[in-house]
Amino acid sequence: MDISVVVPLYNEAESLPELAEWIERVMEENGFSYEILFIDDGSTDNSFQIIRTLSQKNKAIKGIRFSRNYGKSPALNTGFQLAEGDVVITMDADLQDSPDEVPALYQMITGEGYDLVSGWKRKRYDPLSKTIPTKLFNATARRVSGIKNLHDFNCGLKAYRKDVVKNIEVYGDMHRYIPYLAKNAGYGRIGEKEVKHQARKYGHTKFGLDRFVNGYLDLGTLWFQTKFGVKPMHIFGLLGTFMFLIGFLAVLAVIILKIVSMCSPDFHFYLTKSVYFYLSLASMIMGLQFFLTGFIGELIIRNSAERNVYKIADRI
């Protein structure tokens, strides 16, 4: 199979027939063998009924419905697990991503040797309240990840070699950082293609401004896991050493002041009234806690075997 198109969706019943027809037309015009995987993330409208009807007309259309709304990352991860095509294309279901971009994306993967190609919507039909935070977010992501050539990490329209999607795990809200995940997995040939941004035709966006706050928190988590996930003692041990050093210096100050107090009748030093006493006590305790945190982290291993297990309510 040439292409698997993975489409995560939540309450997009109005756009699904038009999107499916558009994808089918592009595939047939270019002679691709393909499948379309609609991953319904617990929609409360009749999205899955429409997917069922579409699949009866076209056997290349398949569907998965979650029993509740898990989020975009779990939907993508499930689609990646099921995809059979040599090239996997992801796009949103709201018709803002154009299936006409698929042939060029496919060529960049198969002909130019990229592992992953991310779309870049240079001209967007979004309000300033969304575009400005997006630019700041992408600038931060470029600096932290070291992937300097991407302008839009979170673009839903992407293309992947099959190997890539089978060797990365997209969980939580990490769909924003799939290029970073791919790079960490050893797939460093990451390219970008300028794509057309379609104005939303039906419904409204499912994402609020809180996604930008969550995005920065997730970026911090991913950076920490990349740098110290294998050896958490490297960071916690360093912090513990630093705190112990502060505590040790504070203890020295307390001892010196106490000796001076004992030798000089004009100088009075009360241990429990000294800031150095409490500084040394707090620093020693915090240093010990950091060391214990690093040690426990080394034992636990950061990955949970069940964090990507989702209950599927229906299957086509």
Side-chain angles (χ1 to χ4, degrees):
M1 185 181 296
D2 295 324
I3 296 176
S4 292
V5 182
V6 177
V7 184
L9 64 108
Y10 178 70
N11 291 344
E12 297 287 359
E14 294 175 301
S15 64
L16 290 176
E18 185 174 340
L19 177 62
E21 182 181 353
W22 194 354
I23 295 173
E24 291 169 26
R25 174 174 55 80
V26 171
M27 296 299 176
E28 291 173 2
E29 288 176 353
N30 290 272
F32 293 131
S33 57
Y34 71 99
E35 64 179 354
I36 305 173
L37 299 171
F38 286 113
I39 313 298
D40 184 350
D41 187 24
S43 294
T44 56
D45 63 3
N46 64 333
S47 292
F48 198 71
Q49 288 81 355
I50 291 175
I51 295 170
R52 189 184 298 278
T53 300
L54 292 171
S55 71
Q56 292 171 352
K57 298 177 182 178
N58 183 351
K59 297 303 180 183
I61 294 177
K62 304 169 186 177
I64 291 290
R65 180 170 68 89
F66 288 165
S67 59
R68 67 173 178 84
N69 181 238
Y70 284 103
K72 187 174 182 179
S73 291
L76 285 172
N77 196 73
T78 300
F80 289 165
Q81 291 175 356
L82 298 173
E84 298 178 2
D86 294 332
V87 174
V88 178
I89 306 287
T90 60
M91 64 178 63
D92 294 335
D94 55 12
L95 297 175
Q96 290 188 287
D97 296 330
S98 171
D100 289 333
E101 306 283 357
V102 168
L105 290 170
Y106 178 83
Q107 172 60 27
M108 291 182 72
I109 297 293
T110 59
E112 299 179 36
Y114 285 103
D115 297 319
L116 183 157
V117 179
S118 181
W120 174 30
K121 298 170 183 175
R122 183 194 292 265
K123 181 179 179 181
R124 302 184 66 97
Y125 293 94
D126 295 324
L128 288 177
S129 60
K130 183 176 179 180
T131 55
I132 293 177
T134 295
K135 288 182 180 296
L136 294 173
F137 163 77
N138 283 306
T140 305
R142 281 194 297 272
R143 184 169 184 85
V144 173
S145 68
I147 306 174
K148 305 296 186 182
N149 62 321
L150 293 191
H151 291 83
D152 189 358
F153 278 72
N154 198 28
C155 180
L157 186 56
K158 289 184 173 66
Y160 313 80
R161 280 200 301 113
K162 184 178 182 179
D163 288 356
V164 176
V165 301
K166 299 301 183 182
N167 288 285
I168 61 173
E169 182 185 16
V170 189
Y171 61 94
D173 284 325
M174 291 298 179
H175 59 273
R176 302 179 181 93
Y177 305 110
I178 290 180
Y180 196 4
L181 293 172
K183 178 186 175 184
N184 290 340
Y187 300 99
R189 288 189 54 80
I190 297 173
E192 181 176 74
K193 182 185 183 300
E194 188 172 337
V195 297
K196 185 178 180 181
H197 185 208
Q198 308 281 121
R200 176 178 273 275
K201 192 172 182 179
Y202 305 104
H204 58 277
T205 182
K206 310 301 188 299
F207 301 98
L209 290 176
D210 61 330
R211 69 184 184 132
F212 295 108
V213 176
N214 295 336
Y216 278 107
L217 295 176
D218 289 335
L219 182 59
T221 299
L222 186 55
W223 174 84
F224 181 86
Q225 290 177 346
T226 301
K227 296 292 185 181
F228 306 107
V230 177
K231 289 293 181 181
M233 183 58 85
H234 288 183
I235 180 65
F236 290 111
L238 179 63
L239 291 173
T241 301
F242 178 70
M243 296 307 299
F244 260 111
L245 180 60
I246 293 176
F248 178 73
L249 294 175
V251 168
L252 285 180
V254 168
I255 293 173
I256 292 171
L257 290 172
K258 189 62 176 178
I259 293 174
V260 172
S261 174
M262 293 172 62
C263 297
S264 174
D266 298 327
F267 179 73
H268 301 285
F269 176 73
Y270 299 97
L271 187 65
T272 55
K273 292 183 179 181
S274 171
V275 66
Y276 297 108
F277 171 75
Y278 293 104
L279 181 62
S280 63
L281 187 64
S283 298
M284 290 292 187
I285 292 173
M286 291 179 65
L288 179 61
Q289 288 178 331
F290 278 128
F291 265 105
L292 288 176
T293 300
F295 181 70
I296 292 172
E298 292 279 348
L299 295 177
I300 290 177
I301 312 294
R302 65 181 176 87
N303 293 322
S304 170
E306 304 220 344
R307 70 178 173 191
N308 251 323
V309 176
Y310 312 107
K311 183 180 178 182
I312 295 174
D314 207 347
R315 183 187 296 267
I316 295 174

